[in-house]
Amino acid sequence: MPTREAWHDLLEQQLPPPSAFVARNRRITSFYARWYLQEPWLFKWSGMAAFASDQVGLALAIAEVLRAPRDLLVTGAAPAADRNLLDVGRDLYGQMLTLALFLPVTLHSSLSRQLLLNDLDLLKQGNDAIFADIGWAHAAYSQGGLREIEANVRDGERESLLVGFQMIDEGAQRLSKDPTDQEAPKLISQGNVALLRHEQMNTLPTYFDRMSDFGRSIASMGAWMNFEGNPMTSPWFGSHAGPLSLFSGNKSVTRPADRWEWIERDVLPKWAAVDRAYHEDCPMHHRLVAMANESPTMITQAATMLSPLFRTLSLQRG
């Protein structure tokens, strides 16, 4: 029987490196979307997680755009023994470009790092941590059933992760025996909510607690779940908290109690409605298929294009 580490490594091998913010996030989002599309009646948490991870991906794309100008500053030269006329010319060009751009790029780097990059890096770490916490369990359950979770769960997860999958499994077993069982879908939904509470209350606080006040404000304003592609009907933390509480900091999506209140009162009811209405021609299905296929958005396309462009401008060797 595979260990937890083996399940985790199996998934990790299919992910881009942690340094590839956008590409790694898109692959994680793809896993979530594919699990839901394969078993929408069962893996409801992964459907919600796909939209949450996709939203994080927008922020991480901004992080890559903010990082890109620093590639203009040339830092490496060819070893002296290997230098030729082309290397000398390239290095001279790089030094001139570095001198011309040193002040604006340095100011940009300092300001963006102070205001956003550290917080966005924490958001990225949280995205990775949730996948590490629950991704392996979805892969294990899909291939080996509940016994794979029971054999690999840690002590601190027995009342959350394990209980969640036990409820999901009980509901699935009851439906296999009696497709008309009215309690089985409720058990499955409750089990998925238990997984959601596990990652929201046990995993994310470690990263949100280290954010700056500015980063917490940005996270609160950007916390929304666009299930159907219509922002007017999407659950948004700002609407739940109210403008005064949002901008004063009295309510913050980075606080577990505030976040869970929003999830219970706004996110879960709207998710339940779109989940019940889910079919293969609905807007949510098309959005999930795009995530599963790692289709890039305009923002992620910009982030993907800017870094190579800046490397080309600086004549860095790729």
Side-chain angles (χ1 to χ4, degrees):
M1 182 179 294
T3 64
R4 178 191 183 119
E5 289 71 25
W7 287 114
H8 178 270
D9 290 346
L10 180 65
L11 294 177
E12 185 66 31
Q13 290 167 10
Q14 301 175 62
L15 296 179
S19 59
F21 278 31
V22 171
R24 186 176 176 90
N25 167 266
R26 282 170 57 193
R27 185 65 50 80
I28 288 172
T29 304
S30 173
F31 272 114
Y32 291 147
R34 280 184 277 149
W35 284 326
Y36 181 84
L37 289 169
Q38 290 166 7
E39 304 282 0
W41 63 278
L42 192 66
F43 292 140
K44 300 180 185 298
W45 173 86
S46 67
M48 287 184 281
F51 287 100
S53 184
D54 185 62
Q55 192 67 18
V56 169
L58 296 179
L60 298 185
I62 293 170
E64 286 208 349
V65 171
L66 288 173
R67 289 174 184 274
R70 287 181 294 173
D71 288 338
L72 284 167
L73 300 181
V74 178
T75 57
D82 301 328
R83 290 167 63 83
N84 54 37
L85 188 58
L86 180 61
D87 288 327
V88 172
R90 183 183 67 84
D91 291 343
L92 180 60
Y93 166 82
Q95 290 166 11
M96 292 174 63
L97 186 63
T98 297
L99 182 62
L101 295 169
F102 177 78
L103 183 59
V105 173
T106 300
L107 287 174
H108 167 278
S109 178
S110 176
L111 183 61
S112 62
R113 176 169 291 278
Q114 179 182 354
L115 296 181
L116 278 178
L117 287 180
N118 289 339
D119 293 320
L120 289 171
D121 188 61
L122 287 168
L123 195 62
K124 179 258 182 193
Q125 291 177 38
N127 188 237
D128 285 348
I130 288 172
F131 187 72
D133 269 356
I134 306 185
W136 74 269
H138 276 74
Y141 185 83
S142 295
Q143 298 184 42
L146 184 62
R147 64 176 185 172
E148 291 289 340
I149 310 294
E150 293 172 332
N152 290 293
V153 76
R154 294 168 181 162
D155 288 341
E157 300 168 335
R158 295 187 181 279
E159 299 303 317
S160 51
L161 185 65
L162 178 58
V163 167
F165 273 102
Q166 285 174 333
M167 287 191 285
I168 291 170
D169 188 69
E170 182 181 349
Q173 296 299 327
R174 289 174 62 157
L175 280 178
S176 68
K177 295 175 183 176
D178 179 8
T180 65
D181 189 325
Q182 299 297 308
E183 296 302 312
K186 296 178 183 177
L187 277 170
I188 291 171
S189 294
Q190 290 168 5
N192 279 279
V193 171
L195 300 185
L196 178 64
R197 186 173 179 85
H198 167 72
E199 47 114 332
Q200 293 293 321
M201 308 303 279
N202 297 341
T203 307
L204 279 180
T206 300
Y207 304 95
F208 279 148
D209 288 349
R210 288 186 281 152
M211 278 189 172
S212 69
D213 290 340
F214 180 77
R216 291 172 184 172
S217 297
I218 294 296
S220 294
M221 287 187 284
W224 62 303
M225 300 283 281
N226 193 5
F227 298 133
E228 297 182 288
N230 182 1
M232 300 303 294
T233 61
S234 301
W236 177 46
F237 182 79
S239 177
H240 164 77
L244 186 60
S245 293
L246 182 67
F247 290 108
S248 68
N250 287 336
K251 291 277 188 179
S252 173
V253 78
T254 63
R255 294 193 196 107
D258 293 345
R259 184 168 64 255
W260 191 251
E261 180 185 79
W262 170 56
I263 289 171
E264 283 194 314
R265 295 185 181 181
D266 194 11
V267 177
L268 285 175
K270 289 179 178 175
W271 167 256
V274 297
D275 180 57
R276 282 194 302 270
Y278 173 80
H279 57 85
E280 291 192 359
D281 197 34
C282 69
M284 188 172 81
H285 174 79
H286 296 306
R287 285 177 56 75
L288 285 164
V289 168
M291 294 178 202
N293 293 333
E294 301 183 42
S295 301
T297 65
M298 289 182 65
I299 294 178
T300 56
Q301 283 179 316
T304 302
M305 292 169 60
L306 278 175
S307 290
L309 174 62
F310 285 130
R311 281 197 299 271
T312 301
L313 283 172
S314 63
L315 298 184
Q316 294 184 45
R317 291 187 172 92

